[in-house]
Amino acid sequence: MDRFVFRYIYYLLLAAASLLPHAYAYFKVTAPVQGTQWVNGQTYPMSWIKGVMDGVDTFDIELSRLSKGGLMFVAKDVPSVTGTINLAIQDVPPADDYFLLFLNSTHGVMYGNSPQFSILDSSSTANSSNPSPESAKPTVTLSGGPNPTAVFATTFPPSVNGVVGGWDAMRGWTSLVLGLLSIVTLGVASGALTVL
Ligand SMILES: *[C@@H]1O[C@H](CO)[C@@H](O)[C@H](O)[C@H]1NC(C)=O
Ligand SMILES: *[C@@H]1O[C@H](CO)[C@@H](O)[C@H](O)[C@H]1NC(C)=O
């Protein structure tokens, strides 16, 4: 019996640990990846996955470089549940040390960032540059280099946020229910194991 209780608590902790990062601050940029090459004049997806109940319903996206100051404002008030927005780039200075920032630019709180990637001249014929924008997702356009007076290239309307908010909440509940189910299942399974 002691072993059963011990094992149950162990699985409960495991299940809880796997659930927690999902529900709270968790943000991963899935595109671009390290070494991605974007070519000026093309359109590329920016994708992310994040915790569903962290209260981050919208964020802003900025483009920056490791070796130089200056930000390019890509998109404001992006609904986080969208998961992907496409970026059309034009005349962005070619360099191999770009990265994307996902943040609230109002108070500067950072949620996540992409690994380092390259932006190449429009005449480049890079191997890994096959653009694969997701046609069902919004596309924003970014032209030129850093400009201190620049405003965000695109601001998403609040109405969009309102609609997707419901989805976000539903997905939160789904993962909670799945998490609880897995806890119960593991508990039952470990109980059965002990009995055998
Ligand atoms: C940033 O935070 C402010 C204050 O909490 C909030 O009003 C604003 O909507 C946030 N911006 C985004 C893009 O979520
Ligand atoms: C393209 O691939 C070739 C061989 O695989 C490699 O030598 C070259 O550096 C690549 N070009 C770019 C721009 O990555």
Side-chain angles (χ1 to χ4, degrees), residues 32-33 35-36 38 63 95-100 114-119:
V33 296
T36 292
W38 285 357
L63 180 64
D96 63 1
D97 60 348
Y98 278 105
F99 59 98
L100 290 167
S114 77
Q116 201 176 322
F117 65 98
S118 305
I119 293 183

Side-chain angles (χ1 to χ4, degrees), residues 20-196:
L20 276 177
H22 194 58
Y24 295 101
Y26 171 71
F27 198 110
K28 185 168 164 43
V29 180
T30 52
V33 296
Q34 181 86 33
T36 292
Q37 294 174 319
W38 285 357
V39 178
N40 268 299
Q42 307 281 2
T43 303
Y44 299 93
M46 303 182 289
S47 305
W48 60 89
I49 46 178
K50 64 181 281 298
V52 287
M53 289 182 285
D54 58 5
V56 181
D57 298 326
T58 57
F59 51 77
D60 308 319
I61 303 178
E62 297 176 351
L63 180 64
S64 189
R65 288 181 59 182
L66 283 178
S67 64
K68 284 203 159 138
L71 290 166
M72 283 165 259
F73 301 99
V74 176
K76 187 165 172 51
D77 296 336
V78 178
S80 59
V81 75
T82 304
T84 293
I85 62 174
N86 303 307
L87 180 62
I89 49 169
Q90 268 152 25
D91 301 321
V92 177
D96 63 1
D97 60 348
Y98 278 105
F99 59 98
L100 290 167
L101 302 173
F102 295 73
L103 76 171
N104 181 318
S105 62
T106 308
H107 46 55
V109 171
M110 187 87 91
Y111 303 125
N113 62 272
S114 77
Q116 201 176 322
F117 65 98
S118 305
I119 293 183
L120 307 175
D121 188 82
S122 59
S123 64
S124 170
T125 50
N127 304 331
S128 66
S129 69
N130 301 332
S132 52
E134 293 186 29
S135 54
K137 303 291 185 177
T139 297
V140 302
T141 301
L142 180 69
S143 305
N147 179 344
T149 61
V151 292
F152 279 97
T154 303
T155 297
F156 283 82
S159 58
V160 177
N161 303 350
V163 172
V164 296
W167 270 105
D168 211 7
M170 266 178 66
R171 279 163 49 154
W173 277 111
T174 309
S175 74
L176 184 64
V177 168
L178 283 178
L180 288 174
L181 270 179
S182 71
I183 291 172
V184 170
T185 312
L186 283 169
V188 170
S190 67
L193 276 178
T194 314
V195 168
L196 288 175

